[in-house]
Every structure is written in structure tokens, then in C-alpha cells.
Amino acid sequence: MLDTILLVLQIVLVLFGAYQLFLTFFGWKRPKKKTQHPPQKSFAVLVAAHNEEEVVGALLENLKQLDYPKELYDVFVICDNCTDSTADIVRSHGLYACERNNPNLRGKGYAIEWMLKELWKRPRQYDAVVMFDADNLVGHDYLRHMNDDLCSGSKVIQAYLDTKNPNDSWVTASYAISYYFANRFWQVPRTNLGLANYLGGTGMCFETNLLKQIGWGATSLVEDLEFSMRCVKLGIKPTMNYYAKVYDEKPLTFRASVKQRLRWMQGHFDVCRRYLFPLLWQGLKERSWTKIDAAFYSANVYNYFFGSILSVAIWIKAIVPGGTDMNLYELAPIVNVLAISIYVMLPISLFIEKASGKTYKYLIAYPIFMLSWWPITVYAFFTQNNKQWSHTKHTRVIRLEEVQSKQVS
């Protein structure tokens, strides 16, 4: 029985790894730019904030300087259960501070759901809603790209997610490396193949009519993945705009990153449990590669989970004198080859995406970051019913000009 289970696990991992490697070949070509349209869409810019007095000011200055007609967008900051001066800072910038106090329903998903209901009550209505986190910075042409995509028919759009502090520590650099790879070899292939892209939690744009029609309804620990799955299930394909840039702050310390990634994985297990089989069944029945791909994407958390178990088993067999009675067959080397092949794509993605030269040196420490996902994922599996949201503290005050100048250098 154990031999059979191990064989099935290896086959599943080989198929997942081969599929991911297959997708990377469609990421070499940049997506075409959408047709440019004159500014015509109006936007409600929502900023989710919980005790973000240290960083929110830099984002607000940034948003006030976007290259888009000022009369076509308004900025609303969701001051969610804040106990600091976040709301006062927002008002000092002449923007809307929307204060929410509900300690029983904590988390970004609940905050967004509340804010949308408040937004629909206002006399002015907008063509689209965009969402950022308080620690973000936004490219000056972001709204122009969203306007182009909306005019071209997109209803749900994800911007290119970059890191605003990639070289602060080996941890932030590891996040940056992951983002470069994901943008180029996860998102771009799906764009080029006409599949659904996936929301990244910030830099997201939604057509207002769609939100009013289907509601938000994404209140899990990973509201972005949950809403992505809801869209695909309803036949709506989120798209990615490769040229609209949003810069996200990453945790400086390993401990903070573990806390954040544990929340992500707990949420991923929850979403996978609810969407994997319905999407897979729909995809097979409708012969929809988009839905099958979405099902595979939701199952990545189990790929990590079983991959960690199998890897430990392989190590035990190699290290324990005389080996063990576990029959790992001959597929383990194939799993390793696929893993190494994907790892080789990391420096390639850094080169293609024109990452800072400093980031390359952190490739040495990157395997440690990746291995740390294993215990995090295993622990998340056994605690996946935890719905308690945890806040990641942000302290890195950087202006957009600083980020862009460092990238140029």
C-alpha cells in the first residue's frame, strides 16, 4: 500500500512539474500592448490599511501624481480597525478616510466587502474599482493601462507585481526573485495562451458592473485567489497588464515572512478545498483548458505539501544506512530534474525582467527560502481551518522615484 501511495505521489509531482515547465516556454515573448484609448473610464481607488501610519503617506503622494485626469478618479482609504493616526494622515492629504470598526470580522476581504457596500451608496458611481495595499507604490501610468484594458473588454485586471525593497535583506530578495519568476513564467504564459491570470492581492482592477453583479464574497485569508477562482468558475477570465507596475513591500525578517506565508498557505488550502474539484469537473465537462488550468493552479498547495513529504522520504532513504523498505521507484530522479530545470529559470527570469545586479547574489540563499515552504505548508495543512487574519507590519518608507532610480542603476 505504501509503495502504491509513493508511486502515485511521484506521478502527480512529475505531471505538475512537467506542466509548469511546459508553460514556461510560452513566457519568453512579452504580451502585446493593448490599443491605447483616451482617458474615459472613471476609477474609485481603494487602499486597504490597518495601522499603516508609517507608510501610507508615501502612497497617497504617489496616487495624487498619477498621469490621469484628476477628475476621473478618487482615492478612498479603508482605515480598518485602525488605532493609530492613519485616518488623520489620509485627511491631511485631502482624500477620503473611510473608518471601519469591526473587531469580529477582521481581514482585508471583509474590509473590501464593507467598503464596496459603502461605495455603492455614494451619489457618484465609477466605471471601475482598483485596489492597493497601503505599503504599495504605483507606476504613474497605471490608470492609463487600466483604462486601455477596460476599453478593450477586460473586466478583471491584475497589474505586474514588483518589489519596492528587493535588496533590503535576503528575505526580501527571495520574494523579489519569486515575483520575477511568477510574472514572467506563470502570468505571461497564461496571457499568451489566452488562459486566466491570477490576482495578486494588490494592483487589481475590477469593472464596477461586474462587482455589482456577482458581489465581492471573497473573505478568506487569500481573498485574491478566492476571487480569481470565483471568476473562472463563472466563465470570467482575469487578465494581466504586463506594463502596469505596482511595487509591494516585503517583510524584512525571516520570522515575519513565515507568519505571512503561513497565512497564505492556510488560505490556499481553504480555497483549494472549495474550488479544485468543481473547477476540474466543469473544465472536463466543458472541455475548457482555462478551468482545468485554474483547478491545477489551486492545487499547487498540495503540490508543495506532497512534494515536501516525498522529498523527506527520498532523503531518509538516501541517508539511513541500508536504506528503507520504501520503494521510491525510478521517478524520483525525474522529479529532481524537473525541479532543477525550473530553478535554472530563476536567473533567466531575473535577466529578462532586468532585475538589479544585486539581486543575483541572493540566488545562493534562495534554496533556503524555498525549503522553508515545506514546514510552513505542512503546518498550514494541519491548521487550515484557522481563519484568523494576521497583519504584516510595514515600515519601509520609499518614494516611487527612489525605486525607479535603483532599478535603472
Side-chain angles (χ1 to χ4, degrees):
M1 176 64 72
L2 180 59
D3 288 348
T4 302
I5 292 173
L6 289 172
L7 175 61
V8 171
L9 279 178
Q10 290 177 90
I11 292 174
V12 170
L13 289 173
V14 166
L15 292 176
F16 264 95
Y19 180 64
Q20 175 54 45
L21 193 60
F22 166 74
L23 286 181
T24 63
F25 291 105
F26 297 91
W28 292 90
K29 183 181 178 181
R30 284 190 178 191
K32 293 181 179 179
K33 287 187 176 181
K34 299 287 178 69
T35 302
Q36 292 186 346
H37 296 268
Q40 54 189 283
K41 300 294 184 179
S42 59
F43 296 91
V45 179
L46 307 188
V47 178
H50 172 69
N51 291 343
E52 301 285 9
E53 62 182 5
E54 294 190 55
V55 296
V56 71
L59 173 62
L60 299 182
E61 293 172 11
N62 177 196
L63 292 175
K64 289 163 68 175
Q65 297 171 4
L66 294 182
D67 180 22
Y68 202 74
K70 300 299 181 285
E71 67 274 12
L72 288 180
Y73 73 96
D74 290 319
V75 178
F76 301 85
V77 179
I78 314 169
C79 305
D80 186 41
N81 292 295
C82 289
T83 56
D84 64 357
S85 60
T86 297
D88 294 332
I89 293 172
V90 175
R91 283 188 284 264
S92 71
H93 281 81
L95 303 174
Y96 295 101
C98 305
E99 298 185 72
R100 172 182 181 265
N101 292 289
N102 189 334
N104 296 319
L105 296 177
R106 297 172 60 84
K108 184 177 171 182
Y110 290 112
I112 291 172
E113 191 165 54
W114 172 85
M115 184 66 231
L116 290 176
K117 291 177 182 177
E118 295 297 310
L119 196 62
W120 306 153
K121 298 176 186 176
R122 300 183 68 86
R124 182 181 184 183
Q125 295 298 295
Y126 304 86
D127 295 313
V129 176
V130 299
M131 300 180 189
F132 300 112
D133 291 336
D135 60 292
N136 293 164
L137 293 171
V138 185
H140 289 307
D141 56 357
Y142 174 87
L143 288 182
R144 286 190 174 273
H145 287 298
M146 296 301 107
N147 176 74
D148 293 340
D149 281 16
L150 290 167
C151 291
S152 297
S154 293
K155 295 181 181 296
V156 180
I157 309 154
Q158 173 61 56
Y160 183 107
L161 288 184
D162 208 335
T163 308
K164 79 177 187 183
N165 59 330
N167 298 311
D168 280 358
S169 70
W170 74 274
V171 175
T172 63
S174 295
Y175 274 104
I177 293 168
S178 297
Y179 271 44
Y180 285 128
F181 176 82
N183 281 314
R184 193 67 193 209
F185 293 120
W186 282 69
Q187 293 280 44
V188 170
R190 289 180 166 90
T191 297
N192 290 336
L193 289 169
L195 302 174
N197 289 106
Y198 301 100
L199 300 174
T202 188
M204 306 176 291
C205 177
F206 308 90
E207 185 185 64
T208 296
N209 289 337
L210 174 68
L211 284 176
K212 288 183 176 180
Q213 177 186 347
I214 70 174
W216 178 247
T219 55
S220 70
L221 296 178
V222 284
E223 75 291 330
D224 48 356
L225 178 64
E226 183 179 5
F227 196 84
S228 300
M229 295 298 127
R230 284 191 65 213
C231 285
V232 176
K233 194 169 184 290
L234 293 170
I236 302 160
K237 285 197 280 191
T239 61
M240 178 204 184
N241 190 303
Y242 179 84
Y243 302 95
K245 294 290 185 75
V246 174
Y247 304 89
D248 190 38
E249 180 183 327
K250 294 307 171 192
L252 293 172
T253 66
F254 182 73
R255 182 175 181 178
S257 82
V258 168
K259 185 178 179 181
Q260 183 185 65
R261 288 183 287 152
L262 175 61
R263 171 169 58 84
W264 289 350
M265 297 312 265
Q266 287 169 333
H268 276 232
F269 276 116
D270 176 31
V271 171
C272 178
R273 187 172 63 244
R274 288 187 284 133
Y275 287 94
L276 171 59
F277 291 110
L279 276 171
L280 187 59
W281 171 245
Q282 280 189 9
L284 293 172
K285 187 169 63 173
E286 300 170 12
R287 297 181 181 179
S288 169
W289 186 11
T290 297
K291 291 187 177 181
I292 294 172
D293 175 73
F296 288 166
Y297 188 86
S298 73
N300 269 321
V301 67
Y302 279 99
N303 188 25
Y304 274 106
F305 177 68
F306 291 124
S308 61
I309 293 174
L310 181 61
S311 297
V312 171
I314 292 173
W315 290 350
I316 291 175
K317 184 176 178 64
I319 295 173
V320 173
T324 68
D325 293 331
M326 293 184 296
N327 189 348
L328 296 176
Y329 299 89
E330 299 301 324
L331 288 176
I334 301 177
V335 175
N336 291 333
V337 169
L338 289 169
I340 292 171
S341 298
I342 292 174
Y343 184 82
V344 169
M345 303 300 289
L346 294 174
I348 295 175
S349 65
L350 294 183
F351 178 77
I352 295 175
E353 298 302 285
K354 300 178 181 178
S356 165
K358 294 180 181 179
T359 309
Y360 286 85
K361 67 180 181 181
Y362 291 106
L363 285 168
I364 299 173
Y366 188 75
I368 299 174
F369 185 79
M370 290 305 297
L371 287 175
S372 70
W373 280 102
W374 293 357
I376 291 171
T377 304
V378 172
Y379 185 75
F381 174 79
F382 292 104
T383 58
Q384 60 184 277
N385 291 324
N386 174 38
K387 301 297 190 297
Q388 185 175 356
W389 175 76
S390 59
H391 175 243
T392 302
K393 186 175 177 60
H394 302 111
T395 60
R396 194 70 167 88
V397 181
I398 307 176
R399 263 58 182 185
L400 182 63
E401 294 72 20
E402 295 178 72
V403 174
Q404 293 176 333
S405 65
K406 288 179 181 178
Q407 288 185 331
V408 171
S409 63

